[in-house]
Amino acid sequence: MMGKIFFVLGKSSSGKDTIFGKLKEDQSLRLKTVVGYTTRPRRSGERNGVEYFFVSAQELQSLKASGKVIECRDYNTVHGVWSYFTVDDGQIDLTDGNYLYIGTLESFVKMTDYYGKEAVVPIYIEVDDGERLERAVKRERSQQEPKYAELCRRFLADEIDFKEENILAAGIERRYENDCLEHCICEIKEMISAQIHAE
């Protein structure tokens, strides 16, 4: 049987990075992780090859030219264009296990187009907008150089990117409410185990 790509997504500050980390740590799930690429600067505490592969715009163009880029999202931020992308670099081999990935709705759609609907399983995280905004401000305040304008741009962009019709068009039916982190993670783990053992 072919493996699955469990794809974590949600609006900014919905807790998806934390949930991704907890799923990644759970050895019983035996999920391999896929590291995405970005041209944005590293945040405090981030390590190259862990949260992302941090590359230059020139390196991105080189990967595109070699036909290695599965999907790419460009964001015109207040600090210039930041790109987030997935590379066919040998990290994913569906004949050899199951994977955990994190990305946007757009990247989920493109990954599904590339690997097939049966292979990519969405884990869509939802949180009340007011709660998300509070979390986002708190996180940004902890940065050495807070970028509040970028926080606001991202928050407003999510309202467009994650419109209900876009979520439904992507084939996402199930939502995971992150109002209690432990409960949310437990629910997701149960789904992943069921999917893996259904094989």
Side-chain angles (χ1 to χ4, degrees):
M1 294 290 283
M2 296 294 279
K4 307 260 186 205
I5 301 166
F6 293 98
F7 197 109
V8 180
L9 71 160
K11 294 177 181 177
S12 58
S13 301
S14 59
K16 59 185 183 293
D17 292 293
T18 302
I19 289 167
F20 176 85
K22 295 289 186 186
L23 296 174
K24 181 179 171 181
E25 287 168 12
D26 190 332
Q27 298 298 312
S28 70
L29 297 173
R30 296 172 63 197
L31 297 174
K32 300 175 184 182
T33 53
V34 181
V35 180
Y37 289 68
T38 185
T39 60
R40 79 152 166 78
R42 270 193 280 180
R43 290 181 185 145
S44 308
E46 288 183 327
R47 292 158 293 163
N48 191 41
V50 179
E51 288 82 7
Y52 290 100
F53 288 110
F54 295 93
V55 299
S56 67
Q58 290 76 21
E59 287 172 288
L60 168 56
Q61 292 312 314
S62 175
L63 286 163
K64 280 183 174 177
S66 63
K68 295 278 190 185
V69 177
I70 295 171
E71 57 83 28
C72 180
R73 294 142 279 131
D74 297 318
Y75 298 99
N76 192 7
T77 78
V78 292
H79 304 283
V81 176
W82 289 352
S83 300
Y84 293 80
F85 55 104
T86 311
V87 176
D88 189 351
D89 57 1
Q91 287 188 74
I92 298 174
D93 177 3
L94 294 177
T95 65
D96 186 34
N98 298 291
Y99 294 81
L100 185 64
Y101 193 76
I102 186 168
T104 64
L105 186 62
E106 184 185 348
S107 61
F108 168 74
V109 169
K110 289 181 179 173
M111 288 280 275
T112 302
D113 289 344
Y114 193 85
Y115 289 104
K117 192 176 168 70
E118 294 303 309
V120 188
V121 180
I123 300 173
Y124 183 66
I125 313 299
E126 274 195 333
V127 171
D128 169 75
D129 284 344
E131 176 66 26
R132 282 197 309 108
L133 189 54
E134 282 183 34
R135 290 180 188 181
V137 170
K138 186 178 178 183
R139 182 175 71 182
E140 205 57 46
R141 193 176 283 134
S142 72
Q143 296 295 313
Q144 202 165 0
E145 291 180 29
K147 297 180 172 71
Y148 295 113
E150 172 56 18
L151 179 160
C152 294
R153 184 208 63 79
R154 199 164 60 239
F155 191 87
L156 294 171
D158 279 343
E159 294 306 302
I160 298 164
D161 296 343
F162 287 93
K163 282 190 298 191
E164 191 63 24
E165 54 261 42
N166 293 350
I167 295 167
L168 295 174
I172 296 170
E173 295 167 5
R174 188 169 180 181
R175 323 286 175 98
Y176 297 90
E177 285 285 340
N178 186 18
D179 46 9
C180 170
L181 183 62
E182 288 73 22
H183 177 76
C184 185
I185 290 169
C186 186
E187 199 179 356
I188 293 166
K189 285 181 180 178
E190 284 176 6
M191 179 278 291
I192 292 173
S193 295
Q195 288 266 355
I196 291 171
H197 295 127
E199 297 173 20

